[in-house]
Amino acid sequence: MGLSMGSSSGKEPDNNSDSDDRGGARGLLLKTLVVIGGAVLLKRLTKSTTNWDHTRIVAQSLSGEKYSREQASRDPDNYFNLRWLSCPAAEMSDGSKVLYFEQAFWRTPNKPFRQRFYIVKPCTKDMKSDVELSTYAIRDAEEYRNFCDRPKNQRPQPEEVIGDIAEQLTSIYLKRCDRGKRCLYEGSTPQDGFPNSWNGATRCSSELAVLKNNEIHMGDRGYDDDGNQVWGVKGGPYEFKAAPPASSSLLTDMISPLNYSYPLVDKKIENGSFVLQD
């Protein structure tokens, strides 16, 4: 009996060991499936950005209140401290975003010298760019003055906005920036520009860049028949940065030399980089 017990203990299979092996195999299979499933999910979540996604990002980046304060402080002889203000105004039937846009001197934000509609939409598949940003005149600009500063129930409503879109002025074709660059999107008007008759010009051009820090760089220029620039920025583009909190900027504005060098707006203002009509 003792021999039999001894023989049994020496030859009987280890059932616990088999169970561990099977459990380990199941665990490995489960981990493999989880990894594969996670990879598939990650691929779906990181799928290629569509041009409609680019359109949404550009529209959001253009919206808001921004100033060229820092640039004007660095180079007051060539740049004014301007206020950029833009906000959503409507959406077209094809999904294109309509933004209202205005520019004013920072000390007189209620008196914009430029008012426009922006229409932001995807570029067509045959183009090498991602987003088309078109500028349109407004039928009754006075009705839209300070549009973004008003409560929504006191603004022209979306159907009115669409009806007030007048002639097209320019189109800028934006492309997503390469990795490693400061910008998210950048682009310009076509090489030949667009017709323009202001201040002796026959055509105009524009360039725009959307930076990663929510900054917008924009430059507009007008040229005559001989190719001479007759209005617009003469150096680099204007650099518009998001408005800082009111509490942090109040003292800066009070003591800034820009507070005392603001030019009087008459019929025409021009300096080394900017020309505009009141």
Side-chain angles (χ1 to χ4, degrees), residues 172-191:
I172 296 175
Y173 299 96
L174 299 167
K175 186 176 182 180
R176 182 169 50 177
C177 296
D178 295 332
R179 289 183 180 273
K181 298 189 71 173
R182 287 181 62 205
C183 59
L184 288 173
Y185 299 89
E186 62 181 353
S188 63
T189 50
Q191 186 174 0

Side-chain angles (χ1 to χ4, degrees), residues 159-180:
E159 59 274 11
E160 297 176 74
V161 169
I162 293 174
D164 286 333
I165 298 173
E167 72 272 18
Q168 181 179 353
L169 303 175
T170 62
S171 283
I172 296 175
Y173 299 96
L174 299 167
K175 186 176 182 180
R176 182 169 50 177
C177 296
D178 295 332
R179 289 183 180 273

